[in-house]
Amino acid sequence: MGQEITSTRFTEQDRTRFSQRLADETRLAQTTFAQGGFAADARVAGFELEAWLLDRHFYPIPCNQAFLARMADPLVVAELSRFNIELNGEPQPLTGLALSRLEQGLSQTWARCLQTAHDEEATAVAIGTLPTLRETDLNLSTMTPSKRYVALNQQVFKARQGRPITLDIASPRPGEPHLHTSHADVMLEAATTSFQVHLQVPAAQISRHMNASMILSGPLLALSANSPFLFGHSLWHETRVPLFEQAVDCGSDQHAQGRRVGFGEAYLGKGPTDYFADNARRYPVLLPLCSDTPDSAFTHLRLHNGTIWRWNRLLIGFNDSLQPHLRIEQRVMAAGPSIIDMIANAAFYYGVVHMLALGATPPETLLPFAPARDNFYRAAREGLDAPLSWLDGRTRCAADILIDLLPMAREGLQQQGLATPDIERYLDVLAVRLRTRRNGAAWQLAHHAQHGDLFKLTADYLANQRSGLPVHEWPL
């Protein structure tokens, strides 16, 4: 969905032609994998960070067009709403100083974002859901002017036959509120911002890595949860999950295939490109914009794949020599709390996924898909206290499982040749976070329990984020 499109109106001929091109490119992807045509020699890390623009009263301010014009940086781009932006990291070979380079690049870009926002009489904040967000902030007047977003809104509601989107999120804590509302556009999606990490590995290893990524999603989500408030309600530790899943729901109880955000239905098999065939079979085309590019560009496959938001998404990209590669987009982590927290989360992911994917016993043979999926939603609801099923057959709280996984993360990073000072720095942050049980969601909930003021919470969060300290060191 990151690419602009040239039309917002489509005919049945467009859909037929697009579907044929999608089928051709999907077959080519399967053939390319079978013949060893995808890149086989690279391990590359990268990220995308979505963030908010706020005014001096801590409300979202729809000024991303002026902000981006002043910023003039191709790594910083628009998002769905005019109060969101996206920062992209320069991909790094996953070895040596890759982690500190990712942190340095993000820190430099973020500092420029803060200065540019200041010049627009605004500021920027990285947080999963904004505590001060009002439902009235989410409407078509705050949509970023882009044909792709107009078309997305039109096609979602065409698929829904004009029915409003229903948002229904119950707090897992007894006595806490139940949020039930409806919305006449797709702008609810703008209320969710994330820190998405990318992992490119040799194509022959991608299925094992993708399955390991899905298995790790529950613990990783518990580690990084940072979205407990929405529209003034205290809901899930990672409210971003049910919010996003419901925000672009094209289906109904009778047509569940219309639900385009989710965890998926099964692990990958030996043929990873069957993932794209499943997407083509399971999900109707949403944006049938046809192109004259050759099948080898995978233009239609990539556009269709971009309108299906699995929490672990397989992508096709191209290296500098235009050889196609396969990479994983891990989407479960919220934006924030601090830059070092986010890079530490990424370090944990890269280390543990490596060990799980290359272990002698595939972890997907030890943990069936259904419990892995259940772990993900339990972690979203309850954070570090969530009871999760794990590879040893036991059910324990997420924090205890994560503590046990830290040595695995360390070994995985060492095996990939990451610099020892980086490994020590980022994993030490996580060790203290887990010992104190203080991730972003826990800090926000504790702050609100003490002060009962979401504006003070947002102001203090912003000040702490600017300090650069990891969240476990933030005062209440």
Side-chain angles (χ1 to χ4, degrees):
M1 279 301 297
Q3 64 192 84
E4 180 59 298
I5 64 176
T6 58
S7 177
T8 62
R9 297 185 180 276
F10 308 106
T11 67
E12 285 307 311
Q13 287 181 323
D14 292 329
R15 293 185 183 280
T16 299
R17 183 182 171 212
F18 187 98
S19 295
Q20 183 58 56
R21 292 297 308 276
L22 175 62
D24 292 344
E25 292 173 12
T26 301
R27 284 192 293 271
L28 179 60
Q30 292 172 308
T31 300
T32 301
F33 177 78
Q35 295 178 347
F38 285 106
D41 59 352
R43 300 185 65 85
V44 181
F47 68 81
E48 304 167 48
L49 172 62
E50 299 160 342
W52 300 76
L53 297 172
L54 303 185
D55 65 18
R56 66 184 63 185
H57 303 294
F58 307 109
Y59 287 122
I61 181 170
C63 67
N64 72 357
Q65 297 300 283
F67 171 92
L68 292 169
R70 190 186 292 266
M71 188 80 181
D73 185 340
L75 294 178
V76 184
V77 298
E79 269 290 336
L80 173 62
S81 83
R82 292 193 293 127
F83 47 72
N84 291 139
I85 54 174
E86 178 184 283
L87 290 67
N88 291 272
E90 292 279 7
Q92 299 289 334
L94 193 52
T95 191
L97 296 171
L99 295 171
S100 52
R101 289 194 181 109
L102 289 174
E103 183 184 1
Q104 182 181 24
L106 177 54
S107 296
Q108 291 173 348
T109 304
W110 187 247
R112 289 191 60 226
C113 285
L114 292 176
Q115 181 58 54
T116 303
H118 178 76
D119 293 342
E120 293 292 327
E121 298 186 352
T123 193
V125 66
I127 190 170
T129 54
L130 182 66
T132 55
L133 181 69
R134 301 158 296 192
E135 191 171 354
T136 54
D137 292 318
L138 303 172
N139 59 74
L140 293 181
S141 72
T142 57
M143 176 183 280
T144 293
S146 165
K147 288 181 178 178
R148 65 187 169 111
Y149 295 138
V150 171
L152 174 66
N153 187 71
Q154 290 175 346
Q155 296 303 309
V156 166
F157 279 87
K158 180 179 180 180
R160 294 181 63 83
Q161 299 179 322
R163 293 178 295 109
I165 289 172
T166 299
L167 187 62
D168 190 349
I169 308 174
S171 172
R173 296 176 292 278
E176 293 287 345
H178 185 136
L179 176 61
H180 186 90
T181 187
S182 61
H183 219 72
D185 52 56
V186 298
M187 293 302 291
L188 286 168
E189 181 190 342
T192 70
T193 53
S194 61
F195 177 63
Q196 301 162 18
V197 297
H198 289 229
L199 174 62
Q200 178 189 338
V201 298
Q205 300 175 9
I206 196 74
S207 288
R208 285 286 306 270
H209 281 79
M210 184 72 161
N211 292 341
S213 190
M214 286 190 275
I215 287 168
L216 189 58
S217 292
L220 185 65
L221 181 56
L223 180 70
S224 58
N226 193 33
S227 311
F229 294 101
L230 179 65
F231 304 151
H233 297 283
S234 172
L235 298 167
W236 295 17
H237 280 234
E238 197 49 66
T239 303
R240 188 176 53 92
V241 167
L243 175 58
F244 191 23
E245 292 195 352
Q246 297 175 40
V248 286
D249 184 356
C250 299
S252 66
D253 291 341
Q254 291 74 38
H255 299 93
Q257 74 273 15
R259 297 171 185 155
R260 303 179 82 93
V261 184
F263 193 77
E265 303 299 326
Y267 292 128
L268 287 191
K270 292 183 178 180
T273 48
D274 290 346
Y275 172 99
F276 302 118
D278 183 66
N279 278 352
R281 179 177 61 255
R282 187 181 299 273
Y283 297 99
V285 171
L286 196 60
L287 297 178
L289 183 74
C290 297
S291 170
D292 293 328
T293 55
D295 288 351
S296 58
F298 300 110
T299 302
H300 303 80
L301 184 156
R302 295 169 78 194
L303 178 57
H304 184 60
N305 195 45
T307 65
I308 302 158
W309 295 270
R310 300 185 196 232
W311 292 108
N312 292 268
R313 184 158 66 175
L314 186 63
L315 303 178
I316 292 178
F318 295 89
N319 60 22
D320 291 341
S321 62
L322 300 184
Q323 182 184 22
H325 68 249
L326 295 172
R327 72 178 188 271
I328 298 164
E329 182 184 55
Q330 168 55 273
R331 304 173 55 86
V332 311
M333 291 182 282
S338 66
I339 289 176
I340 192 172
D341 284 317
M342 289 185 281
I343 302 301
N345 294 340
F348 176 84
Y349 171 72
Y350 291 134
V352 177
V353 159
H354 177 84
M355 295 299 293
L356 292 176
L358 300 184
T361 301
E364 56 268 39
T365 65
L366 302 175
L367 186 70
F369 183 81
R373 180 172 53 196
D374 290 346
N375 284 345
F376 173 72
Y377 291 104
R378 287 176 182 168
R381 285 192 297 269
E382 301 179 49
L384 290 170
D385 293 328
L388 306 183
S389 304
W390 199 235
L391 305 178
D392 56 7
R394 295 190 293 161
T395 296
R396 293 181 292 150
C397 83
D400 290 341
I401 292 173
L402 286 161
I403 289 170
D404 288 349
L405 287 174
L406 286 177
M408 183 184 291
R410 186 181 306 275
E411 184 177 356
L413 295 172
Q414 290 171 341
Q415 287 188 10
Q416 293 173 87
L418 275 299
T420 298
D422 280 5
I423 296 173
E424 298 297 330
R425 180 167 185 256
Y426 297 116
L427 294 190
D428 283 353
V429 166
L430 298 184
V432 182
R433 185 194 306 171
L434 292 170
R435 189 164 64 244
T436 59
R437 301 293 202 270
R438 183 59 60 84
N439 60 12
W443 183 89
Q444 290 190 57
L445 290 166
H447 187 287
H448 190 254
Q450 182 168 322
H451 301 285
D453 184 340
L454 293 177
F455 289 90
K456 178 173 173 54
L457 187 160
T458 305
D460 290 350
Y461 180 102
L462 185 59
N464 283 314
Q465 185 171 88
R466 287 177 175 174
S467 76
L469 293 173
V471 70
H472 67 262
E473 295 184 20
W474 292 8
L476 291 175

